[in-house]
Amino acid sequence: MPHPLFRKKSISAILADATEGLSDATHSASGLNKVLKVRDLTAMGIAAVVGAGIFSTIGNASYQGGPGVSLLFILTAVCCGFSALCYAEFASRIPVSGSAYTYAYASFGELIAWIIGWDLLMEYAIGNIAVAISWSQYFVNLLEGLHIHVPAFLTTDYLSASRGFKEATAELAKGTSVADLSQTAKSGYEAWINAPHIGNFKLIADIPALTIVFLITWLVYTGIKETRKATNLMVALKIVVLISVIAIGCFYVAPANWSPFLPNGFGGMMKGVSAVFFAYIGFDAISTTAEECENPQRDLPRGMIYSLVICTVLYILIALVLTGMVSYKELQVGDPLAFVFKRVGLDKISYIISFSAVIATASVLLVFQMGQPRIWMSMSRDGLLPKAFSRIHPKYKTPSFATIVTGLFVAIPALFLNLTEVTDLTSIGTLFAFVLVCGGVLLLPKREVGEAKPKFQIPYISSRFIVPLLFIFGIITFWHNFLGLFDFAAGWQVFRDKLPFFLFVILSIGLAIASFVKKLSLIPVLGLASCFYLMTELGYTNWMRFLIWLIIGLVIYFLYSRHHSKLRKEETL
């Protein structure tokens, strides 16, 4: 019998809860509306993926990696593809809300399920905050294009204003004029000196970010049908814009800009991992809508895979067009798509792109704000969070209390936080979820008696010889990096940044041995290893922040969740 901390919830019990209404998957008066089809799920996947990443972070990634960033999009898509297939198998066997949390409960047990649930809450919340801040920046830029000026202290977060003021003050002391300051320093300085204050405290907050979160939360609160209609409309608009960008941009591509293809080498390309992966975050969010799908076992896998394929093709083409229209050295800007068209004299198109960016980031926020309350709801049903989080609105058929809490949880920090501080944390949280989902497929129990055959299964390919050979090839190829792990003379500051990669080497050794001994399925193993490798590229600081968040979650689990677990109470009867 497993340790109580790792008690598993059987698939039959999960599905039985759904049938009896404990998971509100029925058409009962308290249940969720089952209205989503594969088209809606694909649209939601695209809505979640095509957003702030492609409209902003792709610029910095292109600056770091040059035209070769298109290869990074392919590499990242492959890693996400492995994870998408694992999500798809779980969704086919366990078609209920909760996403990776529910899947972990069936494969790893309660403690790991709590950890992944807590991680997902951070991922969605921090991701939503990042998207809200990004939306605010686009919206303010759009208003400026329409000659509507909003005071900087109402559109800037406190941290950015403080840093900008300090940077500007230092430069002004050297004799630099205000006009010659960087845009970041100038806006921060303006916000700081013009902001009203109470004593020494400046009243600076990002009001547009707060506003969009409240509007999106209201839309999600009022029902899945309204959310579906809004999502489909916004997706159609931004797909048209992106295809237009590719089609028009092709005529302004100068092939000379693609040389050199990897100006900063493989290492330079990999510096854009966080930005590129941030562009893919979201396709897993549709797995939280399982109980609102007409046929989740068939449509969820299709929706995830379709959306990922469509977005990958668009991303690669966009990256090639951007780096072909202007030199990669000019792309370290916040609005790269609009910038390149201004650069070639097509100002009107750049305004259209700015408008579509506002729509695109709003649609991402919409899907994320829809996903997070459903994870709160699933954890509440299992007793790991208070019952209020699983309350369903009698009229709108949505998790009402959880939706309101989610809105506040995102809106208030969005007033004050800095975009740079939250993007990497979102990526590491998502990758951790992907690692556990891929690992969970390897531990997924065989079909129980009477359990219907799933409509999607990952094709089995034995990893017995492939993974050990890949490990040996990796050691030979990156031998110098491997030796560098043991260079303790470089000092703690250098060694600590190598610690995540050291963990990856240990994991790889374990996977190689397990693959040879147990003949594990190849796709989940590759997904687990590739996503963990991407985590190592996110730096020591982000790992420490992530671990602090997990420690806070463990404290809550041992003080509350462990004692209120529904599964624990059932076992003690």
Side-chain angles (χ1 to χ4, degrees):
M1 186 174 179
H3 190 279
L5 292 179
F6 298 98
R7 59 174 74 91
K8 297 181 182 179
K9 191 172 184 181
S10 67
I11 294 176
S12 59
I14 294 173
L15 297 178
D17 282 354
T19 303
E20 293 170 11
L22 294 178
S23 66
D24 299 313
T26 65
H27 288 284
S28 63
S30 62
L32 302 172
N33 280 330
K34 300 172 75 67
V35 298
L36 301 178
K37 300 179 181 179
V38 66
R39 180 185 62 186
D40 304 312
L41 294 170
T42 303
M44 285 183 176
I46 296 172
V49 174
V50 179
I54 194 65
F55 281 96
S56 61
T57 58
I58 189 177
N60 188 58
S62 298
Y63 175 78
Q64 298 284 357
V69 74
S70 56
L71 297 179
L72 186 54
F73 274 112
I74 296 173
L75 175 63
T76 308
V78 170
C79 298
C80 291
F82 291 143
S83 302
L85 291 172
C86 294
Y87 266 97
E89 177 158 333
F90 267 122
S92 185
R93 286 195 65 183
I94 313 176
V96 297
S97 293
S99 186
Y101 159 75
T102 302
Y103 307 155
Y105 218 149
S107 54
F108 286 107
E110 185 171 284
L111 179 62
I112 304 300
W114 167 265
I115 289 174
I116 191 60
W118 186 250
D119 165 68
L120 287 171
L121 295 182
M122 180 201 72
E123 173 202 334
Y124 280 86
I126 298 296
N128 289 350
I129 292 167
V131 174
I133 295 170
S134 180
W135 184 92
S136 174
Q137 293 174 349
Y138 280 119
F139 183 68
V140 172
N141 290 339
L142 184 62
L143 291 180
E144 290 290 343
L146 298 173
H147 306 292
I148 301 173
H149 179 70
V150 182
F153 63 84
L154 294 178
T155 63
T156 307
D157 63 275
Y158 193 92
L159 184 60
S160 293
S162 176
R163 288 176 177 174
F165 176 74
K166 290 177 181 177
E167 180 185 340
T169 303
E171 290 297 320
L172 292 174
K174 297 176 183 178
T176 306
S177 66
V178 174
D180 293 332
L181 292 173
S182 68
Q183 184 59 44
T184 302
K186 189 187 299 183
S187 60
Y189 180 75
E190 181 186 344
W192 191 267
I193 63 174
N194 293 323
H197 56 89
I198 300 177
N200 292 325
F201 182 76
K202 296 284 186 175
L203 299 177
I204 300 173
D206 195 340
I207 299 301
L210 174 76
T211 304
I212 189 60
V213 172
F214 279 160
L215 289 175
I216 293 294
T217 301
W218 171 78
L219 182 60
V220 172
Y221 182 89
T222 55
I224 190 66
K225 289 182 179 179
E226 290 72 20
T227 303
R228 178 187 63 177
K229 292 175 183 177
T231 300
N232 290 346
L233 180 62
M234 288 189 282
V235 166
L237 176 62
K238 63 185 177 182
I239 290 295
V240 168
V241 170
L242 288 179
I243 292 175
S244 300
V245 166
I246 294 168
I248 297 171
C250 283
F251 293 100
Y252 293 87
V253 166
N257 287 327
W258 289 334
S259 180
F261 196 68
L262 287 171
N264 299 314
F266 182 80
M269 182 187 77
M270 292 305 292
K271 287 182 179 179
V273 162
S274 177
V276 169
F277 186 78
F278 188 73
Y280 277 106
I281 289 174
F283 75 86
D284 58 311
I286 61 177
S287 65
T288 66
T289 66
E291 295 174 28
E292 287 144 298
C293 300
E294 289 186 356
N295 191 340
Q297 291 177 309
R298 181 196 67 191
D299 293 345
L300 276 174
R302 292 182 181 181
M304 278 186 274
I305 294 169
Y306 291 168
S307 60
L308 187 61
V309 170
I310 292 169
C311 291
T312 299
V313 172
L314 288 173
Y315 280 1
I316 294 169
L317 294 175
I318 287 287
L320 289 173
V321 168
L322 280 182
T323 54
M325 290 178 69
V326 302
S327 170
Y328 71 93
K329 297 176 183 178
E330 300 182 50
L331 287 173
Q332 196 176 26
V333 294
D335 53 347
L337 267 66
F339 168 79
V340 294
F341 281 95
K342 282 185 180 179
R343 183 72 171 70
V344 297
L346 300 177
D347 289 353
K348 291 184 178 179
I349 293 180
S350 71
Y351 293 139
I352 295 173
I353 291 172
S354 296
F355 173 74
S356 66
V358 170
I359 301 299
T361 47
S363 70
V364 176
L365 190 61
L366 179 64
V367 176
F368 277 18
Q369 284 295 94
M370 179 183 64
Q372 189 181 356
R374 284 149 180 81
I375 297 173
W376 290 97
M377 177 182 70
S378 296
M379 296 175 75
S380 171
R381 291 168 177 166
D382 292 324
L384 305 185
L385 288 175
K387 291 182 179 180
F389 286 95
S390 56
R391 187 182 303 150
I392 304 297
H393 195 284
K395 177 181 177 181
Y396 299 126
K397 313 297 184 185
T398 56
S400 51
F401 180 77
T403 300
I404 293 172
V405 171
T406 297
L408 295 173
F409 203 62
V410 173
I412 295 174
L415 282 169
F416 310 108
L417 290 184
N418 181 281
L419 182 61
T420 306
E421 304 294 326
V422 296
T423 303
D424 286 353
L425 197 56
T426 306
S427 295
I428 198 170
T430 306
L431 283 166
F432 182 68
F434 287 3
V435 165
L436 287 186
V437 168
C438 293
V441 167
L442 297 173
L443 298 176
L444 196 60
K446 295 181 179 179
R447 290 207 314 271
E448 301 170 10
V449 177
E451 182 185 344
K453 183 179 179 180
K455 296 182 180 180
F456 177 84
Q457 284 183 290
I458 297 173
Y460 174 77
I461 303 171
S462 176
S463 64
R464 184 170 195 179
F465 298 109
I466 298 175
V467 171
L469 287 174
L470 286 174
F471 176 73
I472 294 171
F473 176 77
I475 290 293
I476 295 172
T477 305
F478 300 101
W479 179 249
H480 292 293
N481 289 13
F482 182 72
L483 290 179
L485 293 174
F486 304 98
D487 182 14
F488 304 110
W492 168 246
Q493 295 295 327
V494 175
F495 178 71
R496 73 176 191 179
D497 290 328
K498 298 176 182 178
L499 284 175
F501 187 74
F502 188 79
L503 294 176
F504 172 72
V505 172
I506 295 174
L507 175 69
S508 299
I509 294 172
L511 286 176
I513 295 172
S515 296
F516 184 79
V517 174
K518 298 189 175 182
K519 302 179 183 178
L520 300 176
S521 178
L522 180 63
I523 291 176
V525 170
L526 292 179
L528 195 162
S530 59
C531 288
F532 197 90
Y533 173 72
L534 292 182
M535 286 180 69
T536 67
E537 294 288 335
L538 295 177
Y540 172 83
T541 302
N542 289 302
W543 276 74
M544 290 306 300
R545 291 172 178 170
F546 178 61
L547 289 175
I548 290 171
W549 174 258
L550 291 186
I551 290 171
I552 294 172
L554 288 175
V555 170
I556 295 174
Y557 174 78
F558 284 106
L559 290 180
Y560 177 87
S561 306
R562 180 188 177 195
H563 304 289
H564 292 80
S565 167
K566 186 178 297 184
L567 205 57
R568 177 177 180 270
K569 292 179 180 179
E570 290 174 355
E571 290 179 353
T572 56
L573 291 178

